[in-house]
Amino acid sequence: MEISATVGPVDIAPKASVQVDPLRQSARDFEAAFIMQMLQHSGIAEAFGAKEGGTAEGFSSFLLEQIAGKMADQGGFGLAEQFYQALSARAERAEPGLDFRA
């Protein structure tokens, strides 16, 4: 059996930035924080060895943050969209000159 360790070229060019509505991003970030809190209290960090001490404990919060962010990016519980819709409606009814999106 032969194993090849050849790796193709890696694209390190910066990605084109996509303009995201700040209000939508804030709603997504809030949902991610909410999911992270739920994961912390669910005991999933202990499943990754956080209670054993050592390096696992130090990195479990980073892992949970990434898991929560990915969950929120994929729709999460739908909270971000609900927050966004509610805040957008409120922004439309706000006084002229006030911009909740900035």
Side-chain angles (χ1 to χ4, degrees):
M1 178 167 75
E2 185 177 317
I3 299 175
S4 174
T6 308
V7 178
V10 177
D11 182 15
I12 58 171
K15 304 286 184 215
S17 63
V18 177
Q19 187 66 18
V20 177
D21 182 355
L23 187 60
R24 186 171 295 280
Q25 183 64 42
S26 293
R28 179 258 177 223
D29 292 345
F30 183 82
E31 182 168 16
F34 178 78
I35 292 171
M36 184 173 170
Q37 289 296 312
M38 289 183 61
L39 290 173
Q40 285 176 333
H41 291 284
S42 74
I44 195 169
E46 287 79 16
F48 295 122
K51 282 289 187 193
E52 297 171 11
T55 58
E57 186 174 357
F59 291 103
S60 65
S61 64
F62 295 123
L63 179 59
L64 292 182
E65 183 179 349
Q66 290 300 308
I67 292 171
K70 293 292 182 187
M71 288 177 70
D73 287 343
Q74 294 176 2
F77 302 119
L79 297 174
E81 187 60 30
Q82 294 295 320
F83 293 142
Y84 177 75
Q85 295 297 328
L87 292 172
S88 291
R90 186 175 214 164
E92 290 174 8
R93 293 190 309 265
E95 294 179 33
L98 286 179
D99 186 6
F100 290 105
R101 298 173 193 267

Coordinates of all heavy atoms in Angstrom, one line a residue:
M1 N 0.9 -1.2 0.0 CA 0.0 0.0 0.0 C 0.9 1.2 0.0 O 1.8 1.3 0.8 CB -0.9 0.0 1.2 CG -1.8 1.2 1.3 SD -3.1 1.1 2.5 CE -2.2 1.3 4.1
E2 N 0.5 2.2 -0.8 CA 1.3 3.4 -0.9 C 0.4 4.6 -0.5 O -0.7 4.7 -1.0 CB 1.8 3.6 -2.4 CG 2.7 4.8 -2.5 CD 3.2 4.9 -4.0 OE1 3.6 3.9 -4.6 OE2 3.2 6.1 -4.5
I3 N 1.0 5.4 0.3 CA 0.2 6.6 0.8 C 1.0 7.8 0.2 O 2.2 8.0 0.5 CB 0.1 6.7 2.3 CG1 -0.6 5.4 2.8 CG2 -0.5 8.0 2.8 CD1 -0.6 5.3 4.3
S4 N 0.2 8.7 -0.4 CA 0.8 9.9 -1.0 C 0.5 11.1 0.0 O -0.6 11.3 0.4 CB 0.2 10.2 -2.4 OG 0.7 11.4 -2.8
A5 N 1.5 11.9 0.2 CA 1.4 13.0 1.1 C 1.4 14.3 0.3 O 1.7 15.4 0.8 CB 2.5 13.0 2.1
T6 N 1.1 14.3 -1.0 CA 1.1 15.4 -1.8 C -0.1 16.3 -1.5 O -1.2 15.9 -1.4 CB 1.1 15.0 -3.3 OG1 2.1 14.1 -3.5 CG2 1.3 16.2 -4.2
V7 N 0.2 17.6 -1.3 CA -0.9 18.6 -1.1 C -0.9 19.6 -2.2 O 0.2 20.0 -2.6 CB -0.6 19.3 0.3 CG1 -1.7 20.3 0.5 CG2 -0.6 18.3 1.4
G8 N -2.1 19.9 -2.7 CA -2.2 20.9 -3.7 C -1.9 22.3 -3.3 O -1.7 22.5 -2.1
P9 N -2.0 23.2 -4.2 CA -1.8 24.6 -3.8 C -2.8 25.1 -2.9 O -4.0 24.7 -2.9 CB -1.8 25.4 -5.2 CG -2.6 24.5 -6.1 CD -2.3 23.0 -5.6
V10 N -2.4 26.0 -2.0 CA -3.3 26.6 -1.0 C -3.6 28.0 -1.4 O -2.6 28.8 -1.7 CB -2.7 26.5 0.4 CG1 -3.6 27.2 1.4 CG2 -2.4 25.1 0.8
D11 N -4.8 28.4 -1.5 CA -5.2 29.8 -1.8 C -5.2 30.6 -0.6 O -6.0 30.5 0.3 CB -6.6 29.8 -2.4 CG -7.1 31.2 -2.8 OD1 -6.2 32.1 -3.0 OD2 -8.3 31.3 -3.1
I12 N -4.2 31.5 -0.5 CA -4.1 32.4 0.6 C -4.5 33.9 0.3 O -4.3 34.7 1.2 CB -2.6 32.4 1.2 CG1 -1.6 32.8 0.1 CG2 -2.3 31.0 1.8 CD1 -0.2 33.1 0.7
A13 N -5.0 34.1 -0.9 CA -5.5 35.4 -1.2 C -6.7 35.8 -0.3 O -7.5 34.9 0.0 CB -5.9 35.4 -2.7
P14 N -6.8 37.0 0.1 CA -7.9 37.4 0.9 C -9.2 37.3 0.1 O -9.3 37.5 -1.1 CB -7.6 38.9 1.2 CG -6.6 39.3 0.3 CD -5.9 38.1 -0.2
K15 N -10.2 36.8 0.8 CA -11.5 36.6 0.2 C -12.2 38.0 0.0 O -12.0 38.9 0.8 CB -12.4 35.8 1.1 CG -11.8 34.4 1.4 CD -11.9 33.5 0.2 CE -11.4 32.1 0.6 NZ -10.7 31.5 -0.4
A16 N -13.0 38.1 -1.0 CA -13.7 39.4 -1.3 C -14.7 39.5 -0.1 O -15.5 38.6 0.2 CB -14.5 39.3 -2.6
S17 N -14.8 40.7 0.5 CA -15.7 40.9 1.6 C -17.1 41.1 1.1 O -17.3 41.9 0.2 CB -15.2 42.0 2.5 OG -15.2 43.2 1.8
V18 N -18.0 40.4 1.7 CA -19.4 40.6 1.4 C -20.0 41.5 2.4 O -19.8 41.3 3.6 CB -20.1 39.2 1.4 CG1 -21.6 39.4 1.2 CG2 -19.5 38.3 0.4
Q19 N -20.7 42.5 1.9 CA -21.3 43.5 2.8 C -22.5 42.9 3.5 O -23.5 42.5 2.9 CB -21.7 44.8 2.1 CG -22.2 45.9 2.9 CD -21.1 46.5 3.8 OE1 -20.0 46.3 3.6 NE2 -21.5 47.2 4.9
V20 N -22.5 42.7 4.8 CA -23.5 42.1 5.6 C -24.2 43.2 6.4 O -23.6 44.1 7.0 CB -23.0 41.1 6.6 CG1 -24.1 40.5 7.4 CG2 -22.3 40.0 5.8
D21 N -25.5 43.2 6.4 CA -26.3 44.2 7.2 C -25.9 44.1 8.7 O -26.0 43.0 9.2 CB -27.8 43.8 7.0 CG -28.7 44.8 7.7 OD1 -28.2 45.7 8.5 OD2 -29.9 44.7 7.6
P22 N -25.4 45.2 9.2 CA -25.0 45.1 10.6 C -26.0 44.6 11.6 O -25.7 43.9 12.6 CB -24.6 46.6 11.0 CG -24.3 47.2 9.7 CD -25.2 46.5 8.7
L23 N -27.3 45.0 11.3 CA -28.4 44.5 12.2 C -28.5 43.0 12.1 O -28.7 42.3 13.1 CB -29.7 45.2 11.8 CG -30.9 45.0 12.7 CD1 -30.5 45.5 14.1 CD2 -32.1 45.8 12.2
R24 N -28.4 42.5 10.9 CA -28.5 41.0 10.7 C -27.3 40.3 11.4 O -27.5 39.3 12.0 CB -28.6 40.7 9.2 CG -28.8 39.2 9.0 CD -29.1 38.9 7.5 NE -30.3 39.5 7.0 CZ -31.5 39.0 7.2 NH1 -31.7 37.9 7.9 NH2 -32.6 39.5 6.6
Q25 N -26.2 40.9 11.3 CA -25.0 40.3 11.9 C -25.1 40.3 13.4 O -24.7 39.4 14.1 CB -23.7 41.1 11.4 CG -22.4 40.5 12.0 CD -22.1 39.1 11.5 OE1 -22.3 38.8 10.3 NE2 -21.7 38.2 12.4
S26 N -25.6 41.4 14.0 CA -25.8 41.5 15.4 C -26.8 40.4 15.9 O -26.6 39.8 16.9 CB -26.3 42.9 15.8 OG -25.3 43.8 15.6
A27 N -27.9 40.2 15.1 CA -28.9 39.2 15.5 C -28.2 37.8 15.4 O -28.5 37.0 16.3 CB -30.1 39.3 14.5
R28 N -27.4 37.6 14.4 CA -26.7 36.3 14.3 C -25.8 36.1 15.5 O -25.7 35.0 16.1 CB -26.0 36.2 13.0 CG -25.2 34.9 12.8 CD -23.7 35.2 13.0 NE -22.9 34.0 12.9 CZ -22.0 33.7 13.8 NH1 -21.7 34.5 14.8 NH2 -21.3 32.6 13.7
D29 N -25.0 37.1 15.8 CA -24.1 37.0 16.9 C -24.8 36.8 18.3 O -24.3 36.0 19.1 CB -23.2 38.3 17.0 CG -22.3 38.5 15.8 OD1 -22.0 37.5 15.1 OD2 -21.8 39.6 15.7
F30 N -25.9 37.4 18.4 CA -26.7 37.2 19.6 C -27.2 35.8 19.7 O -27.1 35.1 20.8 CB -27.9 38.2 19.7 CG -28.7 38.1 21.0 CD1 -28.2 38.7 22.1 CD2 -29.8 37.3 21.0 CE1 -28.9 38.6 23.3 CE2 -30.5 37.2 22.2 CZ -30.1 37.8 23.4
E31 N -27.7 35.2 18.6 CA -28.1 33.8 18.6 C -26.9 32.9 18.9 O -27.0 31.9 19.7 CB -28.8 33.4 17.3 CG -29.3 32.0 17.4 CD -30.2 31.6 16.3 OE1 -30.3 32.3 15.2 OE2 -30.9 30.6 16.4
A32 N -25.8 33.2 18.3 CA -24.6 32.4 18.6 C -24.2 32.4 20.1 O -23.9 31.3 20.6 CB -23.4 32.8 17.7
A33 N -24.3 33.5 20.7 CA -24.0 33.7 22.1 C -25.0 32.9 23.0 O -24.6 32.2 23.9 CB -24.0 35.1 22.5
F34 N -26.3 32.9 22.5 CA -27.3 32.2 23.2 C -27.1 30.7 23.1 O -27.1 29.9 24.1 CB -28.7 32.6 22.6 CG -29.8 31.8 23.2 CD1 -30.3 32.2 24.5 CD2 -30.4 30.8 22.5 CE1 -31.4 31.5 25.0 CE2 -31.5 30.1 23.1 CZ -32.0 30.4 24.3
I35 N -26.7 30.2 21.9 CA -26.4 28.8 21.7 C -25.2 28.4 22.5 O -25.2 27.3 23.1 CB -26.2 28.5 20.2 CG1 -27.5 28.7 19.4 CG2 -25.7 27.1 20.0 CD1 -27.4 28.7 17.9
M36 N -24.2 29.2 22.6 CA -23.0 28.9 23.3 C -23.4 28.7 24.8 O -22.9 27.8 25.5 CB -21.9 29.9 23.2 CG -20.7 29.6 23.9 SD -19.4 30.7 23.5 CE -18.1 30.3 24.7
Q37 N -24.2 29.6 25.3 CA -24.6 29.4 26.7 C -25.3 28.1 27.0 O -25.1 27.4 28.0 CB -25.5 30.6 27.2 CG -24.8 31.9 27.3 CD -23.7 31.9 28.4 OE1 -24.0 31.4 29.5 NE2 -22.5 32.3 28.1
M38 N -26.2 27.8 26.0 CA -26.9 26.5 26.1 C -26.0 25.3 26.1 O -26.1 24.4 26.9 CB -28.0 26.4 25.0 CG -29.1 27.3 25.2 SD -30.4 27.1 23.9 CE -30.8 25.4 24.1
L39 N -25.0 25.4 25.2 CA -24.0 24.3 25.1 C -23.2 24.2 26.4 O -22.9 23.1 26.9 CB -23.1 24.5 23.9 CG -23.7 24.3 22.6 CD1 -22.8 24.7 21.4 CD2 -24.3 22.9 22.4
Q40 N -22.8 25.3 27.0 CA -22.0 25.3 28.2 C -22.8 24.6 29.3 O -22.2 23.9 30.1 CB -21.6 26.7 28.6 CG -20.5 27.3 27.8 CD -20.2 28.7 28.1 OE1 -21.0 29.5 28.6 NE2 -18.9 29.1 27.9
H41 N -24.1 24.9 29.4 CA -24.9 24.4 30.5 C -25.4 22.9 30.2 O -25.9 22.3 31.1 CB -26.1 25.3 30.8 CG -25.6 26.6 31.4 ND1 -25.3 26.7 32.7 CD2 -25.5 27.8 30.9 CE1 -24.9 28.0 33.0 NE2 -25.1 28.7 31.8
S42 N -25.2 22.5 29.0 CA -25.6 21.1 28.6 C -24.6 20.1 29.1 O -24.9 18.9 29.1 CB -25.8 21.0 27.1 OG -24.5 21.0 26.5
G43 N -23.4 20.5 29.4 CA -22.3 19.6 29.8 C -21.5 19.0 28.7 O -20.7 18.1 28.9
I44 N -21.7 19.6 27.5 CA -20.9 19.1 26.3 C -19.4 19.3 26.5 O -18.6 18.6 26.0 CB -21.5 19.7 25.0 CG1 -21.0 18.9 23.8 CG2 -21.1 21.1 24.9 CD1 -21.6 19.2 22.5
A45 N -19.1 20.4 27.2 CA -17.6 20.7 27.4 C -17.0 19.5 28.1 O -15.8 19.2 27.9 CB -17.5 22.0 28.1
E46 N -17.7 19.0 29.1 CA -17.1 17.8 29.9 C -16.9 16.6 29.0 O -16.0 15.8 29.2 CB -18.0 17.5 31.0 CG -18.0 18.5 32.2 CD -18.8 19.8 31.9 OE1 -19.7 19.8 31.0 OE2 -18.6 20.8 32.6
A47 N -17.8 16.5 28.0 CA -17.6 15.4 27.0 C -16.3 15.5 26.2 O -15.8 14.5 25.8 CB -18.8 15.3 26.1
F48 N -15.8 16.7 26.1 CA -14.6 16.9 25.4 C -13.4 16.9 26.3 O -12.3 17.2 26.0 CB -14.6 18.2 24.6 CG -15.6 18.3 23.5 CD1 -16.6 19.2 23.5 CD2 -15.6 17.4 22.5 CE1 -17.5 19.3 22.5 CE2 -16.5 17.4 21.5 CZ -17.5 18.3 21.4
G49 N -13.6 16.6 27.6 CA -12.5 16.4 28.6 C -12.2 17.7 29.4 O -11.2 17.8 30.0
A50 N -13.1 18.7 29.4 CA -12.8 19.9 30.1 C -12.7 19.7 31.6 O -12.0 20.4 32.3 CB -13.9 20.9 29.8
K51 N -13.4 18.7 32.2 CA -13.3 18.5 33.6 C -12.0 17.8 34.1 O -11.7 17.8 35.2 CB -14.5 17.6 34.1 CG -15.8 18.4 34.2 CD -15.8 19.3 35.4 CE -17.2 19.9 35.5 NZ -17.2 21.0 36.4
E52 N -11.3 17.2 33.1 CA -10.1 16.6 33.4 C -8.9 17.5 33.6 O -7.9 17.1 34.0 CB -9.7 15.6 32.3 CG -10.8 14.5 32.2 CD -10.5 13.6 30.9 OE1 -9.5 13.7 30.3 OE2 -11.4 12.9 30.6
G53 N -9.1 18.8 33.3 CA -8.1 19.7 33.5 C -7.1 19.7 32.3 O -7.4 19.1 31.3
G54 N -6.0 20.3 32.4 CA -5.0 20.3 31.3 C -5.5 21.2 30.2 O -6.2 22.2 30.4
T55 N -5.0 20.9 29.0 CA -5.3 21.8 27.9 C -6.7 21.7 27.4 O -7.2 22.7 26.8 CB -4.4 21.4 26.7 OG1 -4.6 20.0 26.4 CG2 -2.9 21.6 27.0
A56 N -7.4 20.6 27.6 CA -8.8 20.5 27.2 C -9.7 21.6 27.8 O -10.5 22.1 27.1 CB -9.4 19.1 27.4
E57 N -9.4 21.8 29.1 CA -10.2 22.8 29.8 C -10.0 24.2 29.2 O -11.0 25.0 29.0 CB -9.9 22.8 31.3 CG -10.8 23.7 32.1 CD -10.5 23.6 33.6 OE1 -9.6 22.8 34.0 OE2 -11.1 24.3 34.3
G58 N -8.8 24.5 28.8 CA -8.5 25.8 28.3 C -9.1 26.1 26.9 O -9.4 27.2 26.5
F59 N -9.3 25.0 26.1 CA -9.8 25.2 24.8 C -11.2 24.8 24.6 O -11.8 25.1 23.5 CB -8.9 24.3 23.8 CG -7.5 24.8 23.7 CD1 -6.5 24.2 24.3 CD2 -7.3 26.0 22.9 CE1 -5.2 24.7 24.2 CE2 -6.0 26.4 22.8 CZ -4.9 25.8 23.4
S60 N -11.9 24.3 25.6 CA -13.3 23.9 25.4 C -14.2 25.1 25.1 O -15.1 25.0 24.3 CB -13.8 23.2 26.7 OG -13.8 24.1 27.8
S61 N -13.9 26.3 25.7 CA -14.7 27.5 25.4 C -14.5 27.9 23.9 O -15.5 28.3 23.3 CB -14.4 28.6 26.3 OG -13.1 29.1 26.1
F62 N -13.3 27.8 23.4 CA -13.1 28.1 22.0 C -13.9 27.1 21.1 O -14.5 27.5 20.1 CB -11.6 28.1 21.6 CG -10.8 29.1 22.3 CD1 -9.7 28.7 23.1 CD2 -11.1 30.4 22.2 CE1 -9.0 29.6 23.7 CE2 -10.3 31.4 22.8 CZ -9.3 31.0 23.6
L63 N -13.9 25.9 21.4 CA -14.6 24.9 20.6 C -16.1 25.1 20.7 O -16.8 25.1 19.6 CB -14.3 23.5 21.2 CG -15.0 22.3 20.5 CD1 -14.6 22.3 19.0 CD2 -14.7 21.0 21.2
L64 N -16.6 25.4 21.9 CA -18.0 25.7 22.0 C -18.4 27.0 21.2 O -19.5 27.0 20.6 CB -18.4 25.9 23.5 CG -18.4 24.6 24.3 CD1 -18.8 24.9 25.7 CD2 -19.2 23.5 23.7
E65 N -17.5 28.0 21.2 CA -17.8 29.2 20.5 C -17.9 28.9 19.0 O -18.8 29.4 18.3 CB -16.7 30.2 20.7 CG -16.9 31.5 20.0 CD -15.8 32.5 20.4 OE1 -15.0 32.3 21.3 OE2 -15.7 33.6 19.7
Q66 N -17.0 28.0 18.5 CA -17.0 27.7 17.0 C -18.3 26.9 16.7 O -18.9 27.1 15.7 CB -15.8 26.9 16.7 CG -14.5 27.8 16.7 CD -14.6 28.9 15.7 OE1 -15.0 28.7 14.5 NE2 -14.4 30.1 16.2
I67 N -18.6 25.9 17.6 CA -19.8 25.1 17.3 C -21.0 26.0 17.3 O -21.9 25.9 16.4 CB -20.0 24.0 18.4 CG1 -18.8 23.0 18.2 CG2 -21.3 23.3 18.3 CD1 -18.8 22.0 19.4
A68 N -21.1 26.9 18.3 CA -22.3 27.8 18.3 C -22.4 28.7 17.1 O -23.4 28.9 16.6 CB -22.2 28.6 19.6
G69 N -21.2 29.2 16.7 CA -21.2 30.1 15.5 C -21.6 29.3 14.2 O -22.4 29.9 13.4
K70 N -21.2 28.1 14.1 CA -21.6 27.3 12.9 C -23.1 27.0 13.0 O -23.8 27.0 12.0 CB -20.8 26.0 12.9 CG -19.3 26.2 12.6 CD -19.1 26.7 11.2 CE -17.6 26.8 10.9 NZ -17.3 27.5 9.6
M71 N -23.6 26.7 14.2 CA -25.0 26.4 14.3 C -25.8 27.7 13.9 O -26.8 27.6 13.2 CB -25.3 26.0 15.7 CG -24.9 24.6 16.0 SD -25.2 24.1 17.8 CE -27.0 23.9 17.7
A72 N -25.4 28.8 14.4 CA -26.1 30.1 14.1 C -26.0 30.4 12.6 O -27.0 30.8 12.0 CB -25.5 31.2 14.9
D73 N -24.9 30.1 12.0 CA -24.7 30.3 10.5 C -25.7 29.5 9.7 O -26.1 29.9 8.6 CB -23.3 30.1 10.1 CG -22.3 31.2 10.5 OD1 -22.8 32.3 10.9 OD2 -21.1 30.9 10.6
Q74 N -26.0 28.3 10.2 CA -26.8 27.4 9.5 C -28.3 27.5 9.9 O -29.1 26.6 9.6 CB -26.3 25.9 9.7 CG -25.0 25.7 9.1 CD -24.4 24.3 9.4 OE1 -25.0 23.5 10.1 NE2 -23.2 24.1 8.9
G75 N -28.6 28.6 10.6 CA -30.0 28.8 10.9 C -30.3 28.7 12.4 O -31.4 29.2 12.8
G76 N -29.5 28.0 13.1 CA -29.7 27.9 14.6 C -31.1 27.4 14.9 O -31.6 26.5 14.4
F77 N -31.7 28.2 15.8 CA -33.1 27.9 16.3 C -34.0 28.9 15.6 O -35.2 28.9 15.9 CB -33.2 28.1 17.8 CG -32.3 27.1 18.5 CD1 -31.3 27.6 19.4 CD2 -32.4 25.8 18.4 CE1 -30.5 26.8 20.1 CE2 -31.5 24.9 19.1 CZ -30.6 25.4 19.9
G78 N -33.5 29.7 14.7 CA -34.4 30.7 14.0 C -34.5 32.0 14.8 O -35.3 32.9 14.4
L79 N -33.8 32.1 15.9 CA -33.9 33.3 16.7 C -33.3 34.5 16.0 O -33.9 35.6 16.1 CB -33.2 33.1 18.1 CG -33.7 32.0 19.0 CD1 -32.7 31.9 20.2 CD2 -35.1 32.3 19.4
A80 N -32.2 34.4 15.3 CA -31.6 35.5 14.7 C -32.6 36.2 13.7 O -32.7 37.4 13.6 CB -30.3 35.1 14.0
E81 N -33.3 35.3 12.9 CA -34.2 35.9 11.9 C -35.4 36.6 12.6 O -35.8 37.7 12.2 CB -34.7 34.8 11.0 CG -35.6 35.3 9.9 CD -34.9 36.3 8.9 OE1 -33.6 36.2 8.8 OE2 -35.5 37.1 8.4
Q82 N -35.8 36.0 13.7 CA -36.9 36.7 14.5 C -36.5 38.0 15.1 O -37.2 39.0 15.0 CB -37.4 35.7 15.6 CG -38.0 34.5 15.1 CD -39.3 34.8 14.4 OE1 -40.1 35.6 14.8 NE2 -39.5 34.0 13.3
F83 N -35.3 38.0 15.6 CA -34.7 39.3 16.2 C -34.6 40.3 15.1 O -34.9 41.5 15.2 CB -33.3 39.1 16.8 CG -33.4 38.3 18.1 CD1 -32.4 37.4 18.4 CD2 -34.4 38.4 19.0 CE1 -32.4 36.6 19.5 CE2 -34.5 37.6 20.1 CZ -33.4 36.7 20.4
Y84 N -34.0 39.9 13.9 CA -33.8 40.8 12.8 C -35.1 41.4 12.3 O -35.2 42.6 12.1 CB -33.1 40.1 11.7 CG -32.9 40.9 10.5 CD1 -31.9 41.9 10.4 CD2 -33.7 40.8 9.3 CE1 -31.8 42.8 9.3 CE2 -33.6 41.6 8.2 CZ -32.6 42.6 8.2 OH -32.4 43.4 7.2
Q85 N -36.1 40.6 12.2 CA -37.4 41.0 11.7 C -38.0 42.1 12.7 O -38.5 43.1 12.3 CB -38.4 39.9 11.5 CG -38.0 38.9 10.4 CD -38.0 39.6 9.0 OE1 -38.7 40.5 8.7 NE2 -37.0 39.1 8.2
A86 N -37.9 41.7 14.0 CA -38.5 42.6 15.0 C -37.7 44.0 15.0 O -38.3 45.0 15.1 CB -38.5 42.0 16.4
L87 N -36.4 43.9 15.0 CA -35.6 45.1 15.1 C -35.7 45.9 13.8 O -35.7 47.2 13.8 CB -34.2 44.8 15.4 CG -33.9 44.2 16.7 CD1 -32.5 43.7 16.9 CD2 -34.2 45.2 17.8
S88 N -35.9 45.3 12.6 CA -36.0 46.0 11.4 C -37.4 46.8 11.4 O -37.4 47.9 11.0 CB -36.0 45.0 10.2 OG -34.8 44.5 10.0
A89 N -38.4 46.1 11.9 CA -39.7 46.8 11.9 C -39.7 48.0 12.9 O -40.2 49.0 12.6 CB -40.8 45.8 12.4
R90 N -39.0 47.8 14.0 CA -38.8 48.9 15.0 C -38.0 50.0 14.4 O -38.3 51.2 14.6 CB -38.1 48.4 16.2 CG -38.1 49.4 17.3 CD -37.5 48.8 18.5 NE -38.1 49.4 19.7 CZ -38.1 49.0 20.9 NH1 -37.5 47.8 21.2 NH2 -38.7 49.6 21.8
A91 N -37.0 49.7 13.6 CA -36.1 50.7 13.0 C -37.0 51.5 12.0 O -36.8 52.8 11.8 CB -34.9 50.1 12.3
E92 N -37.9 50.9 11.2 CA -38.7 51.6 10.3 C -39.6 52.6 10.9 O -40.0 53.6 10.4 CB -39.5 50.6 9.4 CG -38.6 49.8 8.5 CD -39.4 48.7 7.8 OE1 -40.6 48.6 7.9 OE2 -38.7 47.8 7.1
R93 N -40.1 52.2 12.2 CA -41.0 53.1 12.9 C -40.3 54.2 13.7 O -40.9 55.1 14.3 CB -41.9 52.3 13.8 CG -42.8 51.4 13.1 CD -43.8 50.7 14.1 NE -43.2 50.1 15.2 CZ -42.9 48.8 15.4 NH1 -43.1 48.0 14.4 NH2 -42.4 48.4 16.5
A94 N -39.0 54.1 13.8 CA -38.2 55.1 14.6 C -38.2 56.5 14.0 O -38.6 56.7 12.8 CB -36.7 54.6 14.7
E95 N -37.8 57.4 14.8 CA -37.7 58.8 14.3 C -36.8 58.9 13.1 O -35.8 58.2 13.0 CB -37.1 59.6 15.4 CG -37.9 59.8 16.7 CD -37.3 60.6 17.7 OE1 -36.5 61.6 17.3 OE2 -37.5 60.4 18.9
P96 N -37.1 59.8 12.2 CA -36.2 60.0 11.1 C -34.8 60.4 11.6 O -34.7 61.2 12.5 CB -36.9 61.1 10.3 CG -38.3 61.1 10.7 CD -38.3 60.6 12.1
G97 N -33.8 60.0 11.0 CA -32.4 60.3 11.4 C -31.8 59.3 12.3 O -30.6 59.3 12.5
L98 N -32.6 58.5 13.0 CA -32.1 57.4 13.8 C -31.8 56.2 13.0 O -32.7 55.8 12.3 CB -33.0 57.1 15.0 CG -33.1 58.1 16.1 CD1 -34.1 57.6 17.1 CD2 -31.8 58.3 16.8
D99 N -30.7 55.7 13.1 CA -30.4 54.5 12.2 C -29.8 53.4 13.2 O -28.7 53.5 13.7 CB -29.3 54.8 11.2 CG -29.1 53.7 10.2 OD1 -29.8 52.6 10.3 OD2 -28.2 53.8 9.3
F100 N -30.6 52.4 13.4 CA -30.2 51.2 14.2 C -29.2 50.4 13.5 O -28.6 49.5 14.2 CB -31.4 50.4 14.6 CG -32.4 51.1 15.6 CD1 -33.6 51.6 15.1 CD2 -32.0 51.2 16.9 CE1 -34.4 52.2 16.0 CE2 -32.9 51.8 17.8 CZ -34.0 52.3 17.4
R101 N -29.0 50.5 12.2 CA -28.1 49.7 11.5 C -26.7 50.1 11.5 O -25.8 49.4 11.1 CB -28.6 49.6 10.1 CG -29.9 49.0 9.9 CD -30.4 49.1 8.5 NE -31.8 48.8 8.4 CZ -32.3 47.6 8.2 NH1 -31.6 46.6 8.0 NH2 -33.6 47.4 8.2
A102 N -26.4 51.3 12.0 CA -25.0 51.9 12.0 C -24.3 51.5 13.3 O -24.8 51.1 14.2 CB -25.1 53.4 11.8

